[in-house]
Amino acid sequence: AQKITQTQPGMFVQEKEAVTLDCTYDTSDPSYGLFWYKQPSSGEMIFLIYQGSYDQQNATEGRYSLNFQKARKSANLVISASQLGDSAMYFCAMRDWELTGGGNKLTFGTGTQLKVEL
Amino acid sequence: EAQVTQNPRYLITVTGKKLTVTCSQNMNHEYMSWYRQDPGLGLRQIYYSMNVEVTDKGDVPEGYKVSRKEKRNFPLILESPSPNQTSLYFCASAVESSYEQYFGPGTRLTVT
């Protein structure tokens, strides 16, 4: 069964600093995708970044990058130059492409609450 | 605009009073899912649908029903809500060929 582990319930970072949010995953299937979502206090789920298991390069989207270490089964999110608006809950998730059914099911971690301070 | 809509956004109800949370998408997606989010547990899949009239259980289906009579709609039904169903609910839709998932804005349900 797939599993996502986020070991940091909460983190603080100073504005303009970089921060890394940890995510490890477990799956026996060779084909999978890893996602990061941001959930601000308003509650909506905002897609940030995606990494496929066969992608050779680490994904980047603006200030977000995904540090994908396949051998370690980790998919850490790096946010550069933190802003006050980055304060939110962040979820790591995985989709197992080999899974039959599931309707594109995402398996989520428990989340990391990030607080950006002045 | 491509979107997933949910109604209501907020609902407070009492134990045992049947309710339905609607979900609709305008992207002609085959796949639709319901998730619930609870503190310390992340999001967990309740039910999913791979197309019209095709639905199946996710990880936490107890106490919920769904139907998929039209491609665009996937309502979540709580026949007899209980306080342990107090949660934040998300509907999502997707196509198989793409990794993208589109989430609705969420429905915050409180059962007293």
Short mmCIF file of all heavy atoms in Angstrom, two decimals, chain A residues 35 37 39 42-45 47 50 91 95 97 100-106 108-110, chain B residues 31 33 35 37 40-43 45 48 50 59 88 90 94-96 98-99 101 103 105:
data_model
loop_
_atom_site.label_atom_id
_atom_site.label_comp_id
_atom_site.label_asym_id
_atom_site.label_seq_id
_atom_site.Cartn_x
_atom_site.Cartn_y
_atom_site.Cartn_z
N PHE A 35 3.05 14.93 -5.66
CA PHE A 35 2.42 16.24 -5.73
C PHE A 35 2.66 17.00 -4.43
O PHE A 35 2.77 16.41 -3.36
CB PHE A 35 0.89 16.11 -5.88
CG PHE A 35 0.42 15.32 -7.06
CD1 PHE A 35 0.52 13.94 -7.10
CD2 PHE A 35 -0.14 15.97 -8.14
CE1 PHE A 35 0.07 13.21 -8.18
CE2 PHE A 35 -0.61 15.25 -9.23
CZ PHE A 35 -0.50 13.87 -9.24
N TYR A 37 0.59 20.24 -2.50
CA TYR A 37 -0.54 21.16 -2.48
C TYR A 37 -0.38 22.13 -1.31
O TYR A 37 0.14 21.78 -0.26
CB TYR A 37 -1.86 20.40 -2.30
CG TYR A 37 -2.33 19.66 -3.52
CD1 TYR A 37 -1.90 18.37 -3.78
CD2 TYR A 37 -3.21 20.26 -4.42
CE1 TYR A 37 -2.33 17.68 -4.91
CE2 TYR A 37 -3.66 19.58 -5.55
CZ TYR A 37 -3.21 18.29 -5.78
OH TYR A 37 -3.64 17.62 -6.90
N GLN A 39 -2.58 24.65 1.23
CA GLN A 39 -3.93 24.92 1.72
C GLN A 39 -3.87 26.14 2.65
O GLN A 39 -3.51 26.03 3.82
CB GLN A 39 -4.51 23.72 2.46
CG GLN A 39 -5.97 23.92 2.87
CD GLN A 39 -6.55 22.72 3.59
OE1 GLN A 39 -5.94 22.18 4.51
NE2 GLN A 39 -7.73 22.29 3.15
N SER A 42 -8.10 29.78 4.18
CA SER A 42 -9.42 29.80 3.54
C SER A 42 -9.88 28.39 3.14
O SER A 42 -11.06 28.19 2.85
CB SER A 42 -9.40 30.70 2.31
OG SER A 42 -8.31 30.35 1.47
N GLY A 43 -8.97 27.44 3.10
CA GLY A 43 -9.37 26.04 2.96
C GLY A 43 -9.20 25.39 1.61
O GLY A 43 -9.19 24.16 1.53
N GLU A 44 -9.05 26.17 0.54
CA GLU A 44 -8.98 25.51 -0.77
C GLU A 44 -7.65 24.82 -0.96
O GLU A 44 -6.67 25.15 -0.32
CB GLU A 44 -9.22 26.52 -1.91
CG GLU A 44 -8.11 27.51 -2.14
CD GLU A 44 -8.30 28.80 -1.35
OE1 GLU A 44 -8.89 28.75 -0.26
OE2 GLU A 44 -7.83 29.84 -1.85
N MET A 45 -7.63 23.84 -1.83
CA MET A 45 -6.42 23.09 -2.16
C MET A 45 -5.83 23.67 -3.43
O MET A 45 -6.45 23.66 -4.49
CB MET A 45 -6.75 21.61 -2.38
CG MET A 45 -7.27 20.91 -1.14
SD MET A 45 -6.01 20.74 0.12
CE MET A 45 -5.03 19.41 -0.55
N PHE A 47 -2.82 23.44 -6.14
CA PHE A 47 -1.76 22.61 -6.69
C PHE A 47 -0.50 23.44 -6.87
O PHE A 47 -0.54 24.55 -7.43
CB PHE A 47 -2.21 22.02 -8.02
CG PHE A 47 -1.11 21.42 -8.83
CD1 PHE A 47 -0.56 20.21 -8.45
CD2 PHE A 47 -0.60 22.06 -9.94
CE1 PHE A 47 0.48 19.64 -9.18
CE2 PHE A 47 0.42 21.50 -10.69
CZ PHE A 47 0.96 20.28 -10.31
N TYR A 50 4.43 19.09 -9.48
CA TYR A 50 4.28 17.66 -9.74
C TYR A 50 5.62 17.08 -10.21
O TYR A 50 6.36 17.72 -10.96
CB TYR A 50 3.23 17.42 -10.82
CG TYR A 50 3.21 16.01 -11.36
CD1 TYR A 50 2.55 15.01 -10.66
CD2 TYR A 50 3.85 15.68 -12.55
CE1 TYR A 50 2.53 13.71 -11.13
CE2 TYR A 50 3.83 14.38 -13.03
CZ TYR A 50 3.17 13.40 -12.32
OH TYR A 50 3.14 12.11 -12.79
N PHE A 91 0.61 19.99 1.85
CA PHE A 91 0.41 18.54 1.79
C PHE A 91 1.24 17.94 0.65
O PHE A 91 1.23 18.44 -0.47
CB PHE A 91 -1.05 18.20 1.54
CG PHE A 91 -1.96 18.46 2.70
CD1 PHE A 91 -2.73 19.60 2.75
CD2 PHE A 91 -2.02 17.56 3.75
CE1 PHE A 91 -3.57 19.84 3.83
CE2 PHE A 91 -2.85 17.79 4.84
CZ PHE A 91 -3.63 18.94 4.88
N ARG A 95 0.24 9.70 -6.36
CA ARG A 95 -0.67 8.91 -7.16
C ARG A 95 0.10 7.75 -7.73
O ARG A 95 1.16 7.93 -8.32
CB ARG A 95 -1.29 9.72 -8.30
CG ARG A 95 -2.39 8.91 -8.98
CD ARG A 95 -2.60 9.22 -10.41
NE ARG A 95 -3.26 8.07 -11.04
CZ ARG A 95 -3.71 8.03 -12.27
NH1 ARG A 95 -3.58 9.10 -13.03
NH2 ARG A 95 -4.29 6.97 -12.75
N TRP A 97 0.35 5.18 -10.46
CA TRP A 97 -0.18 5.01 -11.82
C TRP A 97 -0.55 3.57 -12.12
O TRP A 97 -1.34 3.30 -13.02
CB TRP A 97 0.83 5.49 -12.86
CG TRP A 97 1.00 6.95 -12.84
CD1 TRP A 97 1.98 7.65 -12.24
CD2 TRP A 97 0.14 7.93 -13.44
NE1 TRP A 97 1.79 9.00 -12.42
CE2 TRP A 97 0.68 9.20 -13.15
CE3 TRP A 97 -1.04 7.85 -14.19
CZ2 TRP A 97 0.09 10.37 -13.58
CZ3 TRP A 97 -1.62 9.03 -14.62
CH2 TRP A 97 -1.06 10.27 -14.32
N THR A 100 -5.09 0.00 -10.23
CA THR A 100 -6.31 -0.10 -11.03
C THR A 100 -7.46 0.49 -10.24
O THR A 100 -7.55 0.30 -9.03
CB THR A 100 -6.62 -1.57 -11.37
OG1 THR A 100 -6.69 -2.32 -10.16
CG2 THR A 100 -5.52 -2.15 -12.24
N GLY A 101 -8.33 1.19 -10.94
CA GLY A 101 -9.41 1.85 -10.23
C GLY A 101 -8.88 3.00 -9.40
O GLY A 101 -7.83 3.54 -9.69
N GLY A 102 -9.59 3.37 -8.38
CA GLY A 102 -9.13 4.44 -7.51
C GLY A 102 -9.45 5.82 -8.03
O GLY A 102 -9.36 6.80 -7.30
N GLY A 103 -9.81 5.88 -9.33
CA GLY A 103 -10.22 7.17 -9.85
C GLY A 103 -9.15 8.24 -9.71
O GLY A 103 -9.42 9.34 -9.26
N ASN A 104 -7.93 7.92 -10.10
CA ASN A 104 -6.84 8.89 -9.93
C ASN A 104 -6.65 9.23 -8.46
O ASN A 104 -6.32 10.37 -8.11
CB ASN A 104 -7.10 10.16 -10.72
CG ASN A 104 -6.79 10.02 -12.18
OD1 ASN A 104 -6.81 8.92 -12.72
ND2 ASN A 104 -6.48 11.11 -12.84
N LYS A 105 -6.79 8.25 -7.61
CA LYS A 105 -6.71 8.48 -6.18
C LYS A 105 -5.37 9.06 -5.77
O LYS A 105 -4.31 8.59 -6.20
CB LYS A 105 -6.94 7.17 -5.44
CG LYS A 105 -6.69 7.25 -3.94
CD LYS A 105 -6.77 5.87 -3.33
CE LYS A 105 -6.28 5.90 -1.90
NZ LYS A 105 -6.29 4.55 -1.32
N LEU A 106 -5.42 10.06 -4.93
CA LEU A 106 -4.23 10.62 -4.31
C LEU A 106 -4.16 10.15 -2.86
O LEU A 106 -5.15 10.19 -2.14
CB LEU A 106 -4.26 12.14 -4.34
CG LEU A 106 -4.14 12.81 -5.71
CD1 LEU A 106 -4.28 14.31 -5.58
CD2 LEU A 106 -2.81 12.46 -6.36
N PHE A 108 -2.50 11.13 0.61
CA PHE A 108 -1.95 12.35 1.19
C PHE A 108 -1.17 12.07 2.47
O PHE A 108 -1.48 11.15 3.22
CB PHE A 108 -3.07 13.33 1.54
CG PHE A 108 -3.66 14.03 0.35
CD1 PHE A 108 -4.64 13.43 -0.42
CD2 PHE A 108 -3.22 15.30 0.00
CE1 PHE A 108 -5.19 14.08 -1.52
CE2 PHE A 108 -3.76 15.95 -1.09
CZ PHE A 108 -4.74 15.35 -1.85
N GLY A 109 -0.19 12.93 2.72
CA GLY A 109 0.45 12.97 4.03
C GLY A 109 -0.41 13.79 4.99
O GLY A 109 -1.47 14.30 4.63
N THR A 110 0.09 13.91 6.21
CA THR A 110 -0.69 14.59 7.25
C THR A 110 -0.50 16.11 7.24
O THR A 110 -1.18 16.82 7.97
CB THR A 110 -0.32 14.04 8.63
OG1 THR A 110 1.10 14.11 8.79
CG2 THR A 110 -0.78 12.60 8.78
N TYR B 31 -13.19 10.92 -14.22
CA TYR B 31 -12.97 10.55 -12.83
C TYR B 31 -13.44 11.64 -11.89
O TYR B 31 -13.14 12.82 -12.07
CB TYR B 31 -11.48 10.33 -12.56
CG TYR B 31 -10.89 9.12 -13.22
CD1 TYR B 31 -10.08 9.25 -14.34
CD2 TYR B 31 -11.14 7.85 -12.72
CE1 TYR B 31 -9.53 8.13 -14.94
CE2 TYR B 31 -10.59 6.74 -13.32
CZ TYR B 31 -9.79 6.88 -14.42
OH TYR B 31 -9.25 5.79 -15.01
N SER B 33 -13.97 12.14 -7.43
CA SER B 33 -13.71 11.55 -6.11
C SER B 33 -14.23 12.46 -5.02
O SER B 33 -14.35 13.67 -5.22
CB SER B 33 -12.20 11.38 -5.88
OG SER B 33 -11.64 10.42 -6.72
N TYR B 35 -13.16 13.31 -0.98
CA TYR B 35 -12.19 13.16 0.10
C TYR B 35 -12.74 13.86 1.34
O TYR B 35 -13.48 14.84 1.24
CB TYR B 35 -10.86 13.83 -0.25
CG TYR B 35 -10.10 13.20 -1.38
CD1 TYR B 35 -10.36 13.54 -2.71
CD2 TYR B 35 -9.07 12.30 -1.14
CE1 TYR B 35 -9.65 12.97 -3.75
CE2 TYR B 35 -8.34 11.74 -2.18
CZ TYR B 35 -8.64 12.08 -3.48
OH TYR B 35 -7.91 11.52 -4.51
N GLN B 37 -11.14 15.62 4.96
CA GLN B 37 -9.90 16.07 5.60
C GLN B 37 -10.14 16.24 7.09
O GLN B 37 -11.05 16.97 7.51
CB GLN B 37 -9.43 17.41 5.02
CG GLN B 37 -8.14 17.90 5.65
CD GLN B 37 -7.73 19.26 5.14
OE1 GLN B 37 -8.31 19.80 4.21
NE2 GLN B 37 -6.71 19.83 5.74
N GLY B 40 -4.56 16.12 11.45
CA GLY B 40 -3.62 15.05 11.74
C GLY B 40 -3.75 13.83 10.86
O GLY B 40 -2.96 12.88 11.00
N LEU B 41 -4.72 13.83 9.96
CA LEU B 41 -4.93 12.66 9.10
C LEU B 41 -4.78 12.98 7.62
O LEU B 41 -4.85 12.08 6.78
CB LEU B 41 -6.32 12.06 9.35
CG LEU B 41 -6.55 11.49 10.75
CD1 LEU B 41 -7.99 11.02 10.89
CD2 LEU B 41 -5.59 10.34 11.04
N GLY B 42 -4.65 14.21 7.27
CA GLY B 42 -4.60 14.57 5.86
C GLY B 42 -5.95 14.35 5.18
O GLY B 42 -7.00 14.37 5.83
N LEU B 43 -5.92 14.14 3.88
CA LEU B 43 -7.13 13.86 3.12
C LEU B 43 -7.21 12.38 2.84
O LEU B 43 -6.21 11.74 2.48
CB LEU B 43 -7.12 14.62 1.78
CG LEU B 43 -7.47 16.10 1.81
CD1 LEU B 43 -6.32 16.94 2.33
CD2 LEU B 43 -7.89 16.56 0.42
N GLN B 45 -9.65 9.35 0.81
CA GLN B 45 -10.68 9.17 -0.22
C GLN B 45 -11.88 8.42 0.35
O GLN B 45 -11.72 7.37 0.98
CB GLN B 45 -10.10 8.43 -1.42
CG GLN B 45 -11.02 8.43 -2.63
CD GLN B 45 -10.49 7.58 -3.76
OE1 GLN B 45 -10.18 6.41 -3.60
NE2 GLN B 45 -10.37 8.16 -4.95
N TYR B 48 -15.16 7.04 -5.13
CA TYR B 48 -14.75 7.57 -6.41
C TYR B 48 -15.64 7.02 -7.51
O TYR B 48 -16.37 6.04 -7.31
CB TYR B 48 -13.28 7.26 -6.71
CG TYR B 48 -12.96 5.79 -6.88
CD1 TYR B 48 -12.97 5.20 -8.14
CD2 TYR B 48 -12.64 5.00 -5.78
CE1 TYR B 48 -12.68 3.86 -8.30
CE2 TYR B 48 -12.34 3.66 -5.93
CZ TYR B 48 -12.36 3.10 -7.19
OH TYR B 48 -12.07 1.77 -7.35
N MET B 50 -15.44 6.26 -11.83
CA MET B 50 -14.62 6.26 -13.04
C MET B 50 -15.42 6.66 -14.27
O MET B 50 -14.83 6.86 -15.34
CB MET B 50 -13.98 4.89 -13.22
CG MET B 50 -13.00 4.56 -12.10
SD MET B 50 -12.36 2.89 -12.16
CE MET B 50 -11.31 3.01 -13.61
N ASP B 59 -11.13 4.69 0.77
CA ASP B 59 -10.56 4.19 2.02
C ASP B 59 -11.49 4.31 3.22
O ASP B 59 -11.38 3.54 4.16
CB ASP B 59 -9.26 4.95 2.33
CG ASP B 59 -8.19 4.69 1.28
OD1 ASP B 59 -8.11 3.55 0.78
OD2 ASP B 59 -7.44 5.63 0.96
N LEU B 88 -14.01 18.44 6.81
CA LEU B 88 -13.94 19.26 5.61
C LEU B 88 -13.93 18.31 4.42
O LEU B 88 -13.07 17.42 4.34
CB LEU B 88 -12.68 20.12 5.63
CG LEU B 88 -12.40 21.02 4.43
CD1 LEU B 88 -13.55 22.00 4.18
CD2 LEU B 88 -11.09 21.78 4.63
N PHE B 90 -13.89 17.48 0.28
CA PHE B 90 -13.47 17.96 -1.03
C PHE B 90 -13.93 17.00 -2.11
O PHE B 90 -13.79 15.78 -1.99
CB PHE B 90 -11.95 18.07 -1.12
CG PHE B 90 -11.37 19.20 -0.35
CD1 PHE B 90 -10.81 18.98 0.91
CD2 PHE B 90 -11.37 20.49 -0.86
CE1 PHE B 90 -10.27 20.02 1.63
CE2 PHE B 90 -10.83 21.55 -0.14
CZ PHE B 90 -10.28 21.31 1.11
N ALA B 94 -10.76 14.49 -12.50
CA ALA B 94 -9.52 14.28 -13.25
C ALA B 94 -9.81 13.47 -14.50
O ALA B 94 -10.85 12.84 -14.64
CB ALA B 94 -8.51 13.55 -12.37
N VAL B 95 -8.82 13.49 -15.40
CA VAL B 95 -8.82 12.58 -16.53
C VAL B 95 -7.69 11.60 -16.32
O VAL B 95 -6.67 11.93 -15.72
CB VAL B 95 -8.66 13.30 -17.89
CG1 VAL B 95 -9.89 14.14 -18.17
CG2 VAL B 95 -7.41 14.14 -17.93
N GLU B 96 -7.85 10.38 -16.83
CA GLU B 96 -6.86 9.34 -16.57
C GLU B 96 -5.50 9.69 -17.16
O GLU B 96 -4.47 9.42 -16.58
CB GLU B 96 -7.33 8.01 -17.15
CG GLU B 96 -6.37 6.85 -16.89
CD GLU B 96 -6.87 5.53 -17.40
OE1 GLU B 96 -7.86 5.55 -18.18
OE2 GLU B 96 -6.31 4.50 -17.04
N SER B 98 -3.95 12.39 -17.53
CA SER B 98 -3.22 13.54 -17.01
C SER B 98 -3.04 13.41 -15.52
O SER B 98 -3.86 12.80 -14.84
CB SER B 98 -3.97 14.83 -17.33
OG SER B 98 -3.41 15.93 -16.62
N TYR B 99 -1.97 13.97 -15.00
CA TYR B 99 -1.77 13.93 -13.54
C TYR B 99 -2.60 14.98 -12.83
O TYR B 99 -2.76 14.94 -11.62
CB TYR B 99 -0.30 14.15 -13.21
CG TYR B 99 0.23 15.52 -13.58
CD1 TYR B 99 0.01 16.62 -12.75
CD2 TYR B 99 0.96 15.70 -14.74
CE1 TYR B 99 0.50 17.86 -13.08
CE2 TYR B 99 1.45 16.96 -15.08
CZ TYR B 99 1.22 18.02 -14.24
OH TYR B 99 1.70 19.26 -14.57
N GLN B 101 -5.30 17.05 -11.02
CA GLN B 101 -6.55 16.87 -10.28
C GLN B 101 -7.12 18.26 -10.01
O GLN B 101 -6.38 19.16 -9.65
CB GLN B 101 -6.30 16.19 -8.94
CG GLN B 101 -5.83 14.77 -9.01
CD GLN B 101 -6.86 13.78 -8.53
OE1 GLN B 101 -7.90 14.14 -8.01
NE2 GLN B 101 -6.57 12.50 -8.71
N PHE B 103 -9.64 20.29 -7.67
CA PHE B 103 -10.37 20.22 -6.42
C PHE B 103 -11.44 21.29 -6.36
O PHE B 103 -11.23 22.42 -6.80
CB PHE B 103 -9.42 20.38 -5.22
CG PHE B 103 -8.67 19.14 -4.89
CD1 PHE B 103 -7.47 18.84 -5.52
CD2 PHE B 103 -9.16 18.25 -3.94
CE1 PHE B 103 -6.77 17.68 -5.22
CE2 PHE B 103 -8.47 17.10 -3.63
CZ PHE B 103 -7.28 16.81 -4.27
N PRO B 105 -13.90 23.75 -3.87
CA PRO B 105 -13.49 24.68 -2.81
C PRO B 105 -13.63 24.11 -1.40
O PRO B 105 -13.15 24.71 -0.45
CB PRO B 105 -14.44 25.86 -3.00
CG PRO B 105 -15.65 25.26 -3.63
CD PRO B 105 -15.16 24.15 -4.50
#
